[in-house]
């Protein structure tokens, strides 16, 4: 099967000389691979015969074997399905790794070792390969090898304890934040390892644990605990050290105001027609405002309650006060500025969020959406020097499988 023009769209970006074998599934690894692909890397997603489990994480489903969840993490990748439990599948993987720059994986601890791809073996057999490993807790230590899930890590790391209303329960943050932060740090680690390889000629292990990444973003709460020994309390939408920095209710819905310093608070008071607020001894400084946060919240609530959000946004933007309507997801994705910045993209059969990092000389691109499992088998294997006859034999032996079988 020849690759379709859909998947043959030329790659552009800063990483067009990098080849990535993406063995990962679910979120942190696939999102990292997608970001590399967005910036031009040749990323081959390798799925097991049953597929990445997120294909079934719906509804909604975009197509028969594509959940919206899966589609958000796997664009710009060519796709092949290999049974890595078989000896021939492992041999095929070795041939791919020999020509790859990066491999991304999030297997359970010990899986790659059992297949002959442990850390030491990879370093000897593929000395230039950058190996990105993502686990829940690392592979050693008291929790080493335990399975990691975003919500569990939000709980264990303390993130959940600081999210929610002061008088309510600890709450999960509404996105898989730990997975997302881990994917961002993974791409940073990969790029650093590739940079070092330019000097040393050798790849290295980029080791990420979800727990480490969750703990790393406890700012400013970890700093407060180091300074005082007291666990931070939940503050809802309000900020623990800045006031006002929270949501108020306008005539037509919620609106966020964040006056980050005394000058901005004075500008806020003037914009609301209440200059006296800025001269009130209770509200002169941020420390004063924090000490009288309840009173200030009540006064500001009365002032903004009679204004619609668009009017208030215009007033505060002109005054230089950080603020904005509390949009739902659809409203956010329809914002003119979001559209202007190219943060909504549409391709044949695919619509998704754009690329947040823009390079002036080597911009990335969204070339195509997620592919059916195994859709690019012939083209991918040809790129690794494996001809049609051998591909046919591998199909016959069920080493490779997927949509390519029917094309």
């Amino acid at each position: 099967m020849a690759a379709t023009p859909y998947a043959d769209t030329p790659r552009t970006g800063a990483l067009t000389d990098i080849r990535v074998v993406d063995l990962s599934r679910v979120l942190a690894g696939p999102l990292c691979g997608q970001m590399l692909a967005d910036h031009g890397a040749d990323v081959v997603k390798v799925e097991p015969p049953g597929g990445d489990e997120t294909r079934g994480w719906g509804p909604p489903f975009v197509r028969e074997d594509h959940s919206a969840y899966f589609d958000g993490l796997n664009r710009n990748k060519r796709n092949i399905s290999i049974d890595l439990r078989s000896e021939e599948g492992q041999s095929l993987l070795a041939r791919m790794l020999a020509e790859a720059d990066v491999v991304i994986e999030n297997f359970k601890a010990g899986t790659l070792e059992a297949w002959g791809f442990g850390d030491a073996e990879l370093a000897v057999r593929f000395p230039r390969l950058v190996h990105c490993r993502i686990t829940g807790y690392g592979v050693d230590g008291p929790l080493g090898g335990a399975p990691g899930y975003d919500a569990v890590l939000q709980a264990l790391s303390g993130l959940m304890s600081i999210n929610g209303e002061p008088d309510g329960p600890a709450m999960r943050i509404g996105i898989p934040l730990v997975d997302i932060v881990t994917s961002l740090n993974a791409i940073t680690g990969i790029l650093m390892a590739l940079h070092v390889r330019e000097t040393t000629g050798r790849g290295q292990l980029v080791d990420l644990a979800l727990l480490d990444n969750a703990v790393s973003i406890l700012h400013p709460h970890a700093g407060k605990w180091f300074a005082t020994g007291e666990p931070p309390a939940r503050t809802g939408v309000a900020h623990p050290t800045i006031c006002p920095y929270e949501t108020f209710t306008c005539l037509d819905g919620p609106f966020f105001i964040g006056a980050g310093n005394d000058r901005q608070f004075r500008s806020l008071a003037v914009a609301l027609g209440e200059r006296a607020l800025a001269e009130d001894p209770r509200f002169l400084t941020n420390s004063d405002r924090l000490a009288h946060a309840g009173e200030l919240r009540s006064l500001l609530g009365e002032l903004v309650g009679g204004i619609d959000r668009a009017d208030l946004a215009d007033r505060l933007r002109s005054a230089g006060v950080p603020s904005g309507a509390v949009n739902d997801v659809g409203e956010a994705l329809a914002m003119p500025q979001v559209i202007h910045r190219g943060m909504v993209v549409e391709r044949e059969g695919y619509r998704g969020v754009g690329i947040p990092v823009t390079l002036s000389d080597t911009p990335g691109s969204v070339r195509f959406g997620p592919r059916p499992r195994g859709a690019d088998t012939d083209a991918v294997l040809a790129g690794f020097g494996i001809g049609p006859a051998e591909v046919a034999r591998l199909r016959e032996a069920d080493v490779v499988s997927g949509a390519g079988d029917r094309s």
Side-chain angles (χ1 to χ4, degrees):
M1 178 192 83
T4 66
Y6 181 60
D8 276 347
T9 306
R11 290 179 287 117
T12 62
L15 303 175
T16 54
D17 59 335
I18 300 300
R19 176 178 277 180
V20 180
V21 175
D22 182 1
L23 302 176
S24 65
R25 68 264 186 233
V26 187
L27 202 161
L31 181 56
C32 173
Q34 177 171 283
M35 290 187 289
L36 292 168
D38 284 350
H39 287 280
D42 178 15
V43 178
V44 176
K45 183 174 178 69
V46 180
E47 294 191 61
D52 184 326
E53 52 260 52
T54 58
R55 285 186 181 273
W57 284 14
F61 291 95
V62 180
R63 293 186 293 282
E64 180 181 353
D65 67 339
H66 287 229
S67 68
Y69 195 107
F70 177 87
D71 272 19
L73 304 166
N74 291 287
R75 69 185 180 210
N76 280 343
K77 304 176 188 179
R78 297 189 293 163
N79 192 288
I80 183 172
S81 180
I82 304 176
D83 185 358
L84 293 175
R85 297 166 300 180
S86 68
E87 289 187 10
E88 278 207 274
Q90 294 158 19
S91 176
L92 181 57
L93 176 61
R95 295 172 70 174
M96 296 173 69
L97 295 183
E99 298 188 37
D101 297 288
V102 179
V103 62
I104 305 170
E105 55 91 5
N106 56 357
F107 290 114
K108 184 171 67 174
T111 300
L112 281 183
E113 285 81 356
W115 293 343
F117 298 103
D119 295 349
E121 289 84 359
L122 285 175
V124 171
R125 295 173 68 185
F126 315 108
R128 289 182 55 80
L129 184 68
V130 172
H131 171 201
C132 178
R133 179 173 67 207
I134 299 173
T135 60
Y137 305 92
V139 298
D140 52 20
L143 291 175
Y149 293 87
D150 184 278
V152 176
L153 270 302
Q154 287 194 33
L156 285 176
S157 68
L159 282 173
M160 221 179 262
S161 76
I162 56 176
N163 190 50
E165 294 299 324
D167 56 352
M171 294 185 67
R172 181 182 70 86
I173 296 165
I175 59 172
L177 182 63
V178 177
D179 279 324
I180 292 170
V181 168
T182 303
S183 71
L184 295 171
N185 284 333
I187 192 171
T188 300
I190 288 168
L191 295 178
M192 287 191 289
L194 289 172
H195 175 72
V196 171
R197 192 182 71 172
E198 290 297 305
T199 301
T200 66
R202 295 190 62 84
Q204 59 184 292
L205 174 65
V206 180
D207 183 13
L208 297 108
L210 298 181
L211 178 62
D212 301 350
N213 285 270
V215 168
S216 76
I217 59 173
L218 287 173
H219 180 77
H221 306 284
K224 179 178 180 179
W225 183 84
F226 286 132
T228 68
E230 299 176 2
R234 287 185 293 281
T235 57
V237 295
H239 196 283
T241 57
I242 302 173
C243 182
Y245 200 92
E246 57 197 284
T247 300
F248 297 89
T249 302
C250 291
L251 277 172
D252 54 347
F255 190 92
F256 192 90
I257 299 173
N261 55 51
D262 297 339
R263 176 186 56 78
Q264 289 177 352
F265 179 71
R266 288 193 295 272
S267 298
L268 170 64
V270 172
L272 293 175
E274 289 290 333
R275 185 183 299 271
L277 270 183
E279 299 167 354
D280 190 313
R282 296 172 296 173
F283 310 135
L284 288 176
T285 69
N286 185 66
S287 296
D288 296 329
R289 293 191 292 276
L290 279 171
H292 299 90
E295 299 160 78
L296 179 58
R297 184 178 299 118
S298 178
L299 290 169
L300 291 176
E302 292 177 8
L303 290 171
V304 305
I307 309 171
D308 66 52
R309 295 192 295 178
D311 180 13
L312 185 57
D314 288 341
R315 288 197 212 179
L316 298 191
R317 190 175 296 118
S318 298
V321 179
S323 58
V326 179
N327 289 328
D328 63 31
V329 172
E331 289 170 330
L333 293 176
M335 284 178 61
Q337 186 67 18
V338 170
I339 303 300
H340 172 74
R341 293 288 298 175
M343 286 307 297
V344 173
V345 295
E346 295 192 40
R347 300 294 181 265
E348 180 186 348
Y350 172 78
R351 184 165 64 155
V353 173
I355 302 173
V357 177
T358 301
L359 302 181
S360 61
D361 294 341
T362 54
S365 63
V366 177
R367 301 177 300 282
F368 54 89
R371 302 285 283 153
R373 183 179 65 86
D376 306 298
T377 298
D378 289 53
V380 166
L381 294 183
F384 288 98
I386 300 170
E390 188 170 0
V391 174
R393 183 185 65 77
L394 292 169
R395 277 209 183 94
E396 184 67 25
D398 289 330
V399 176
V400 298
S401 60
D405 299 343
R406 302 188 297 273
S407 300

